[in-house]
Amino acid sequence: MTAKMLSFVSVPQAQPPKRLADERRKDFDEIYKEFSPEQAATQASRCSQCGVPFCSIHCPLGNNIPDWLMLAADGRLEEAYSVSQATNSFPEICGRICPQDRLCEGNCVIEKDFDSVTIGAVERYITDTAFENGWVKPVMPVVELESSVGIIGAGPAGLAAAERLRASGHQVHVYDRHDRVGGLLIYGIPGFKLEKDIVLRRQKVLEEQGVVFHLGQGVGAGEGEIAFEELRKKHDAVLVATGVYKSREIGGPGSGLGGIVRALDYLTASNRRSLGDALPEGELDAAGKDVVVIGGGDTAMDCVRTAIRQGAKSVKCLYRRDKANMPGSVREVKNAEEEGVEFVWLAAPESFFGDTTVTGVRAQKMRLGLPDGSGRQSIEAEPDGLFTVHADMVIKALGFDPEPLPELWKADDLKTSRWGTLQVDRVSFETSVPGVFAAGDIVRGASLVVWAIRDGRDAAAQIDQWIAARSSSLAAE
């Protein structure tokens, strides 16, 4: 089998075929096509099977990447999927939306002149093939337990925890205020990166496993919401996996004008339209408008590329640093540029023009200064560097903060950090409230989906141990 490997010296790196920019601008379908079986095997064979696999070390899930690459190269795809799903609850999702250029592929030990292995594309191919062939089966528990766990939030952390807890035999109930499973996977990430049937087919597997979803069910003190204390009484343990949904705001004169919208509101509306939901015509729609997106992360990239597909007249992205210091995926920036997005680097918005609706953004030209304490270059204003950009619509993509859960849930004993995230024991994931655990972005702050999956799996293992220890203690009394 190993004779098939180390072909990076003779085989160039290749991504799956990418649809042309003019074609993909017209719809929200994924932009990458599938590998053919031959292409997947050939690209997997480029792996060097190195002694210290930095791809695995730099994967938050610690995926056994060289092992399933070798199996894929040998055409043993069912075994490759078995190895892949052993450490990753949703490899078909990570293969699509993980920033591999910053994680596994970015740390591949193959010398730069030969280019890294296309790990994400092979991972996606393996799992999609597994679904097509019926190899993806729900992980059923060996023994059914009477204990139940309530999970608040049906995003990646909550779903990963649900899958693991159900496999251990617990009765698992997931509560989410939205009407679909997936959280930001459904409403925050556009279809051109993650088509929604990918999430829905995974939901079906979880339901077959026995996970019970309570959708459209918020937690709190409002009408129709279930009280946090009531959830605690209903379940032996509760996991908080709500994510962070509070958009960061931007100040300055005119920041309250109409036409200045939050990124998540904009992306949610777009995704709802794609899912067939009825929304008022023109609401949060970029069609025919000069759009300015403020921010430099992956959410900003989602917004600019969505605006292009909605038929915006022009799309500009303002970011206060340069391209090399942009936090968004390099691959996403390239895709956006191909699709017609104009990037205005080293530009920081200062104020907004307009009577009742925004008509322009006043921005300050910036320059990079000396590194700060973290090693990142500081930014400072250029003298006489003010300029104006016309805009009919401004989208704020500045990141997300936690919602004030103790206040919303009337749970004053639920302790938070100075950033508003929930405080947990770093080993047990337990919060300041006994029997209540937390995982994902609500603990670590806005982060990657792959980290949410890791946290959900780890928290599930700790909850399983906590329930077992509690049961043993009660039995001994």
Side-chain angles (χ1 to χ4, degrees):
M1 188 195 308
T2 52
K4 294 179 179 288
M5 308 308 291
L6 284 84
S7 66
F8 67 89
V9 295
S10 57
V11 175
Q13 182 201 71
Q15 293 289 345
K18 185 164 62 171
R19 298 164 62 211
L20 296 175
D22 285 345
E23 177 190 347
R24 65 185 195 244
R25 283 164 57 105
K26 300 172 184 176
D27 59 48
F28 283 85
D29 297 341
E30 290 185 3
I31 72 168
Y32 290 101
K33 299 178 181 179
E34 287 280 3
F35 269 145
S36 68
E38 295 76 21
Q39 288 171 322
T42 300
Q43 288 302 308
S45 74
R46 297 184 70 250
C47 176
S48 66
Q49 295 290 294
C50 56
V52 181
F54 283 93
C55 57
S56 295
I57 291 169
H58 288 273
C59 171
L61 287 161
N63 287 332
N64 300 315
I65 296 169
D67 290 351
W68 52 253
L69 284 172
M70 183 167 61
L71 290 165
D74 201 40
R76 297 161 62 182
L77 294 177
E78 187 170 2
E79 293 171 78
Y81 173 70
S82 180
V83 173
S84 175
Q85 64 85 37
T87 54
N88 188 352
S89 301
F90 316 120
E92 73 281 9
I93 292 173
C94 289
R96 285 170 162 83
I97 64 174
C98 263
Q100 289 95 3
D101 52 348
R102 304 204 306 261
L103 298 172
C104 53
E105 293 179 16
N107 291 280
C108 179
V109 301
I110 293 176
E111 294 180 30
K112 296 302 178 186
D113 287 345
F114 291 94
D115 294 320
S116 64
V117 179
T118 47
I119 296 167
V122 176
E123 180 180 40
R124 167 186 167 179
Y125 169 78
I126 291 170
T127 316
D128 286 352
T129 302
F131 270 104
E132 290 167 8
N133 287 277
W135 302 334
V136 181
K137 304 288 186 184
V139 184
M140 304 307 295
V142 176
V143 178
E144 290 285 356
L145 303 174
E146 294 182 0
S147 52
S148 73
V149 180
I151 298 176
I152 306 173
L159 295 180
E163 188 264 342
R164 291 288 81 205
L165 286 164
R166 183 70 194 112
S168 298
H170 303 285
Q171 309 308 308
V172 179
H173 293 257
V174 181
Y175 303 84
D176 197 281
R177 60 188 170 188
H178 294 107
D179 56 350
R180 293 181 177 92
V181 167
L184 291 180
L185 298 177
I186 283 285
Y187 292 121
I189 297 175
F192 51 78
K193 286 171 62 176
L194 177 65
E195 291 180 1
K196 303 315 168 188
D197 59 347
I198 303 299
V199 182
L200 298 176
R201 75 181 180 186
R202 182 57 74 170
Q203 175 187 348
K204 184 179 179 183
V205 175
L206 292 169
E207 289 174 335
E208 290 172 355
Q209 190 186 17
V211 176
V212 179
F213 291 101
H214 304 268
L215 301 178
Q217 180 58 73
V219 176
E223 185 178 350
E225 295 182 325
I226 186 170
F228 178 59
E229 281 304 314
E230 184 179 342
L231 271 187
R232 292 187 62 202
K233 292 174 183 176
K234 285 170 67 77
H235 301 288
D236 295 276
V238 172
L239 174 67
V240 182
T242 55
V244 290
Y245 278 83
K246 182 182 176 184
S247 298
R248 290 176 186 158
E249 295 297 335
I250 190 169
S255 57
L257 286 168
I260 302 177
V261 302
R262 293 188 289 262
L264 187 55
D265 294 344
Y266 174 68
L267 292 173
T268 298
S270 176
N271 281 314
R272 283 193 176 278
R273 284 193 180 91
S274 297
L275 288 161
D277 293 355
L279 273 75
E281 188 174 349
E283 182 176 297
L284 296 174
D285 194 336
K289 297 177 181 176
D290 290 312
V291 177
V292 171
V293 176
I294 299 171
D298 288 332
T299 300
M301 297 305 96
D302 293 343
C303 290
V304 294
R305 298 181 66 203
T306 294
I308 286 287
R309 284 158 175 78
Q310 288 182 344
K313 184 178 177 183
S314 69
V315 181
K316 293 183 175 67
C317 181
L318 270 61
Y319 181 55
R320 61 182 182 167
R321 298 179 187 272
D322 62 2
K323 187 174 183 177
N325 286 278
M326 198 171 192
S329 166
V330 173
R331 195 173 296 164
E332 286 299 297
V333 174
K334 181 181 178 181
N335 288 333
E337 288 176 330
E338 290 174 354
E339 292 164 5
V341 175
E342 179 185 342
F343 286 88
V344 184
W345 307 111
L346 294 166
E350 186 182 76
S351 60
F352 304 88
F353 295 117
D355 295 327
T356 57
T357 303
V358 68
T359 58
V361 180
R362 187 78 160 171
Q364 170 69 53
K365 290 182 180 178
M366 310 299 289
R367 63 186 176 195
L368 296 174
L370 296 173
D372 58 19
S374 67
R376 194 179 191 195
Q377 283 180 280
S378 60
I379 53 173
E380 52 194 46
E382 287 273 17
D384 302 318
L386 288 174
F387 65 100
T388 302
V389 178
H390 180 264
D392 303 311
M393 184 179 195
V394 175
I395 303 172
K396 302 174 289 184
L398 304 169
F400 304 97
D401 289 320
E403 295 167 297
L405 296 186
E407 178 185 333
L408 295 173
W409 293 355
K410 298 190 182 303
D412 295 338
D413 49 350
L414 197 59
K415 292 184 179 179
T416 60
S417 69
R418 60 192 176 101
W419 299 282
T421 53
L422 293 185
Q423 288 186 0
V424 298
D425 181 281
R426 290 296 171 179
V427 174
S428 70
F429 288 83
E430 192 170 15
T431 68
S432 56
V433 179
V436 176
F437 301 78
D441 287 2
I442 192 59
V443 174
R444 68 168 62 241
S447 187
L448 301 174
V449 166
V450 66
W451 273 116
I453 295 171
R454 168 65 186 268
D455 291 347
R457 290 172 65 94
D458 288 350
Q462 294 298 322
I463 293 169
D464 181 48
Q465 291 181 22
W466 183 86
I467 290 176
R470 183 168 171 263
S471 299
S472 297
S473 177
L474 291 173
E477 290 180 359

